[in-house]
Amino acid sequence: MDASRRSNSRRNRLSRRSALAATATAAAALAALLVSVGCSVEVQNRQPAQQLARDSAPPGSVYTGWRIYQGHCASCHGTDAGGSASAPDLMARVSGMGPRQFVDVVLLRYRWIVAGEGDTSTARETLVEEIVARHAGAVTMPAWRDEPNVNAHVIDLYAYLAARADGSQGPGRPPR
C-alpha cells in the first residue's frame, strides 16, 4: 500500500510540474508575441499623481472644517455655505481667497479691507458699496479671534469652504 501511495504522490507531483511548465511556456510565448507585434504593456505609477493631488489640496481637514462651520457659521451663511438673507454666499467669496487672506477675514473681521482712513482700494470701495446697498450701517460678521475652537481650526474651516468653492465637496457631511 505504501508503494501505491508513493506512486500516486509521484504522479501528482509530475502532473503539477508539467502544468506549471505549460503555464510558463504559454506566458513566455504571449510575451514574445506582444514584443514581436510591437505592443507594449505599461504599468502606471499612480503615486506621483496622488502626491500631487495631496499637495495641491488646501491645508487642513475638510471634515473638521465642516464641523466648525456647522457650529459657528451655518446659522448665518446657511448649512451648505450658499448664503442667506442675512449673510453672503461663502463659496463665491472663498473661491478668490488664499488661506492667509481667509484667516485674516475670519479672525480679524474685515480689517484687512478697511485698513486705513486714506485707503481708496477697490476692495474697500466694494465693501462700502455693499454696506450702503444693504443699509446695514456696519458689517455684522463677528471677529472669531477670541473663540478658541474657531481660532484653533480656522485652516480646517478654510479647507472645507475651499473644497465647497471648487466643487470637490458637495453639500452635506464630508467623509472623515
Side-chain angles (χ1 to χ4, degrees):
M1 202 149 175
D2 286 330
S4 69
R5 278 189 189 164
R6 275 188 244 143
S7 175
N8 284 339
S9 175
R10 190 173 296 145
R11 271 186 249 141
N12 286 339
R13 276 185 287 191
L14 288 175
S15 73
R16 277 190 228 138
R17 283 183 191 160
S18 65
L20 285 173
T23 303
T25 304
L30 179 62
L33 178 66
L34 287 175
V35 169
S36 68
V37 174
C39 295
S40 66
V41 177
E42 292 184 31
V43 177
Q44 277 188 327
N45 183 356
R46 294 182 148 223
Q47 190 174 5
Q50 291 168 345
Q51 182 65 38
L52 183 62
R54 276 192 300 272
D55 291 346
S56 65
S61 162
V62 173
Y63 176 77
T64 303
W66 172 80
R67 290 191 57 181
I68 296 300
Y69 179 85
Q70 294 304 313
H72 297 283
C73 312
S75 61
C76 294
H77 293 281
T79 58
D80 64 350
S84 68
S86 62
D89 174 354
L90 291 180
M91 291 181 288
R93 300 265 172 129
V94 171
S95 67
M97 275 186 206
R100 288 178 185 258
Q101 187 179 18
F102 179 82
V103 168
D104 284 346
V105 168
V106 171
L107 296 182
L108 302 176
R109 195 180 124 218
Y110 296 106
R111 289 186 196 173
W112 65 273
I113 293 177
V114 289
E117 291 257 332
D119 187 6
T120 59
S121 69
T122 308
R124 182 178 184 278
E125 292 301 317
T126 302
L127 177 64
V128 170
E129 288 300 320
E130 286 179 6
I131 291 170
V132 170
R134 288 187 296 182
H135 306 291
V139 176
T140 58
M141 168 84 177
W144 292 103
R145 176 182 42 212
D146 296 327
E147 167 58 49
N149 212 11
V150 173
N151 200 343
H153 297 286
V154 68
I155 206 68
D156 297 320
L157 183 59
Y158 175 76
Y160 168 68
L161 290 171
R164 288 286 293 127
D166 72 15
S168 63
Q169 171 62 46
R173 181 181 181 164
R176 284 185 179 220

